Amino acid sequence: MSQSVKKVVIPVAGLGTRGLPFTKEVPKELLPIIDTPTIHFIAEEVLAAGIEQVIFITSKGKHALEDYFDLSPNLENWLRKRGKEALADKVRQIGTFCEVISVRQKEPLGLGHAVYCARNIIGQEKFAVCLGDEIFPPWDKINQTQAPLRKLVDAAIELDTSTVGVVEIPIADSLSYGILDLGGKSLGENPAPVLRTVEKPKPEVAPSPYAIIGRYVFDSTLFDALKETKPGVGGEIQLTDAMDKLCANRKLHGVLLKGCRYDIGNPMFYMKAQIDAALRRPELSQRLRDYMKSL
Ligand code: UTP
């Protein structure tokens, strides 16, 4: 039984068409919440889960993401010479966050295919997968007590299984998510075996209110499942199709995540994230409140 999870795969090779025109030249994972890109929040969550290596599945034009986690000696020296020590320390800290490995996905053949591209680096270990669309802000108490990815890692190791993170959604929103079928069971503190996943069901046929939000821990049998997975919806190799093969062996468990989260791909969630972050910044909070009152 694998005792730890040391690697996370972060696929960033998609075309990001929902984020156009921003994503025409800039990866959506660099969208900032005030001054902090979403990938930074994800890296903090990854570190809190005890993970040390980040494997980006990249495509052309995504080098800014790798650069973000690199050292920037010129910038750092420039800041130090001008006495901006705190900023220089921050720049240095980001450059030493984690080890980054990049693997190219040469064609956008789907999320399942993107994860499959990491197989030679992962080998036989358990590994995590994180998508950049969702962030669990560090200022939320529940996220502080137990980072979402940490919860998935702990459950995967304890049960020797693969785990998928879900949140409870209003059933009317089921058309926007992959939904778990748990055979009618409710998810509480304990993980539950998944019978199958259903991609974007209509509310009247959604098997549960538990929606997949881009946090997973898999064992290497996922690669065997992905190898056999044919293109599905949209002609893409779908991760959920491979996950269904794990379900058949009762080797996938759903884990309920309860902390505050923002779906950055959704403009309303994105605006809320900006406002909530600004309200926590002493230099912005009061001025923002005054401005909102004045509207
Ligand atoms: P999405 O399905 O959200 O696709 O992929 P997308 O390309 O980012 O966005 P839209 O739908 O065109 O707006 C989920 C994650 O999987 C990655 C994406 O970068 C995103 O992080 N992905 C998707 C790949 O790495 N490769 C692919 O072939 C497809």
Side-chain angles (χ1 to χ4, degrees):
M1 187 171 87
S2 172
Q3 289 306 320
S4 62
V5 173
K6 291 289 168 210
K7 296 186 171 85
V8 62
V9 175
I10 307 186
V12 295
L15 296 175
T17 53
R18 281 168 297 170
L20 285 169
F22 177 77
T23 48
K24 182 172 167 291
E25 301 299 336
V26 184
K28 67 178 173 188
E29 293 78 9
L30 288 179
L31 262 177
I33 308 298
I34 308 183
D35 48 16
T36 305
T38 58
I39 193 70
H40 184 112
F41 291 103
I42 291 176
E44 285 182 332
E45 190 189 327
V46 160
L47 289 184
I51 293 175
E52 294 156 359
Q53 263 187 350
V54 172
I55 301 157
F56 280 128
I57 310 298
T58 65
S59 55
K60 281 197 176 72
K62 302 285 167 112
H63 60 86
L65 278 166
E66 294 140 277
D67 291 349
Y68 184 77
F69 292 107
D70 207 348
L71 290 174
S72 312
N74 289 345
L75 174 60
E76 203 185 312
N77 289 339
W78 190 95
L79 290 167
R80 290 202 195 284
K81 272 188 196 146
R82 282 154 185 82
K84 297 178 188 291
E85 288 297 326
L87 260 184
D89 288 348
K90 184 154 202 179
V91 166
R92 173 139 209 105
Q93 186 212 4
I94 296 167
T96 53
F97 250 174
C98 49
E99 184 186 346
V100 171
I101 297 173
S102 294
V103 178
R104 279 284 179 131
Q105 185 192 28
K106 293 185 179 171
E107 287 177 275
L109 298 179
L111 174 58
H113 179 261
V115 173
Y116 189 64
C117 291
R119 66 194 178 284
N120 292 331
I121 295 177
I122 300 292
Q124 298 302 309
E125 299 169 36
K126 273 192 180 14
F127 64 102
V129 174
C130 273
L131 303 188
D133 297 354
E134 303 268 351
I135 57 167
F136 290 83
W139 57 75
D140 176 71
K141 277 223 170 70
I142 299 179
N143 293 339
Q144 276 171 14
T145 333
Q146 199 175 33
L149 198 56
R150 170 102 255 169
K151 204 169 173 186
L152 294 193
V153 165
D154 289 350
I157 290 172
E158 196 182 322
L159 301 172
D160 195 17
T161 185
S162 292
T163 49
V164 52
V166 290
V167 297
E168 193 164 353
I169 54 153
I171 208 79
D173 295 346
S174 63
L175 265 172
S176 307
Y177 294 94
I179 303 286
L180 299 190
D181 183 349
L182 301 175
K185 279 195 188 140
S186 293
L187 257 186
E189 273 311 302
N190 292 328
V194 181
L195 303 186
R196 63 183 177 128
T197 64
V198 186
E199 205 45 54
K200 303 185 170 75
K202 289 188 181 143
E204 54 275 22
V205 293
S208 79
Y210 304 121
I212 299 174
I213 41 74
R215 297 290 187 276
Y216 318 81
V217 173
F218 294 114
D219 61 33
S220 57
T221 57
L222 179 81
F223 294 123
D224 303 328
L226 279 169
K227 192 174 178 186
E228 291 164 11
T229 302
K230 303 268 176 300
V233 178
E236 296 192 341
I237 297 179
Q238 300 286 349
L239 182 61
T240 41
D241 288 345
M243 284 162 62
D244 276 342
K245 293 179 188 153
L246 303 183
C247 296
N249 300 325
R250 294 227 137 192
K251 276 294 192 185
L252 181 69
H253 285 69
V255 175
L256 186 62
L257 303 174
K258 289 188 177 157
C260 168
R261 75 174 174 113
Y262 303 107
D263 171 1
I264 296 306
N266 173 317
M268 191 60 209
F269 270 109
Y270 183 55
M271 294 317 300
K272 280 185 185 171
Q274 300 283 11
I275 291 169
D276 289 348
L279 290 175
R280 283 166 177 81
R281 290 275 183 103
E283 75 280 16
L284 291 174
S285 173
Q286 195 52 52
R287 281 190 289 156
L288 178 64
R289 282 172 205 276
D290 293 344
Y291 174 64
M292 300 296 259
K293 272 189 212 145
S294 77
L295 292 177

